[in-house]
Amino acid sequence: MYKLKKIFTLSVLIGCFIYADAQTKEQIPAYRLKGYAGSVSFTDQYLVWLGLDTSHGYMFNEHHYLGAGAGFFLAPVESIPPTVIHAYGEYKAWFLKKRSTPTAGIKAGYCMFATKHSGQKFTGAFELDPSVGWDWGLKNGKGLNLSVGASMMMANRNVTAMPKISFGFQF
């Protein structure tokens, strides 16, 4: 399983470099123009919890996005994998007026287990998810992003933090 994840991650990174546009660095991609914006992301926490998130919202200008999203993550370690679902609000900032730029963002919301398992420490928790990363604008106006962060879940006066890596598609 771990070897398969390494191969998948390497394939995704190679794809980023193949499709990232090196021409006209100053042009802002369409997904960062004022108006509706959305994204879909594959996430991995602790190299065990695999997830999928989607976020939809409003770009105020080429630098600031505010939206809401939902998603799930699961650990394929048991016959019925433990699954967590979550809903969140999201803010994201792009630092440069270029196709390729560093980013930072934060998600805040609520998560809860959809299935029960033996190591479960909570049924529902407040979730805070800060991240930093990089976005690449593509010629077709869409974008790719790669980010690292931490999912912090707060329940019963306990905080659980899980390192997180995320690869997404912006539209």
Side-chain angles (χ1 to χ4, degrees):
M1 178 80 170
Y2 180 70
K3 191 173 191 174
L4 182 62
K5 284 184 188 180
K6 285 175 99 174
I7 291 170
F8 175 76
T9 303
L10 183 60
S11 299
V12 167
L13 289 174
I14 289 170
C16 287
F17 294 118
I18 290 173
Y19 291 108
D21 183 28
Q23 140 187 24
T24 61
K25 293 272 188 208
E26 300 303 316
Q27 185 180 3
I28 301 297
Y31 75 92
R32 286 180 50 204
L33 298 177
K34 186 176 181 177
Y36 167 80
S39 67
V40 176
S41 299
F42 170 77
T43 63
D44 191 347
Q45 300 172 39
Y46 269 142
L47 300 175
V48 175
W49 291 89
L50 306 176
L52 195 62
D53 287 339
T54 184
S55 179
H56 304 272
Y58 190 78
M59 286 293 302
F60 291 92
N61 57 35
E62 67 272 5
H63 298 289
H64 301 285
Y65 167 82
L66 187 61
F72 72 93
F73 47 97
L74 57 88
V77 294
E78 298 176 10
S79 59
I80 299 176
T83 305
V84 175
I85 57 174
H86 63 148
Y88 54 86
E90 178 180 22
Y91 170 76
K92 187 171 179 180
W94 288 260
F95 295 110
L96 304 175
K97 276 190 166 185
K98 294 184 176 184
R99 283 185 183 271
S100 178
T101 178
T103 63
I106 191 161
K107 296 177 184 175
Y110 189 78
C111 66
M112 58 187 269
F113 274 93
T115 59
K116 296 184 185 262
H117 74 97
S118 57
Q120 185 173 333
K121 296 182 180 180
F122 62 88
T123 55
F126 174 71
E127 182 180 26
L128 193 61
D129 189 346
S131 64
V132 295
W134 201 274
D135 267 33
W136 295 271
L138 305 175
K139 286 182 186 179
N140 64 4
K142 311 293 188 241
L144 300 174
N145 67 7
L146 183 64
S147 65
V148 294
S151 286
M152 295 178 285
M153 289 167 247
M154 295 153 259
N156 306 325
R157 297 184 182 175
N158 294 318
V159 177
T160 301
M162 295 192 301
K164 180 178 185 177
I165 187 166
S166 178
F167 175 75
F169 176 72
Q170 312 254 82
F171 51 91

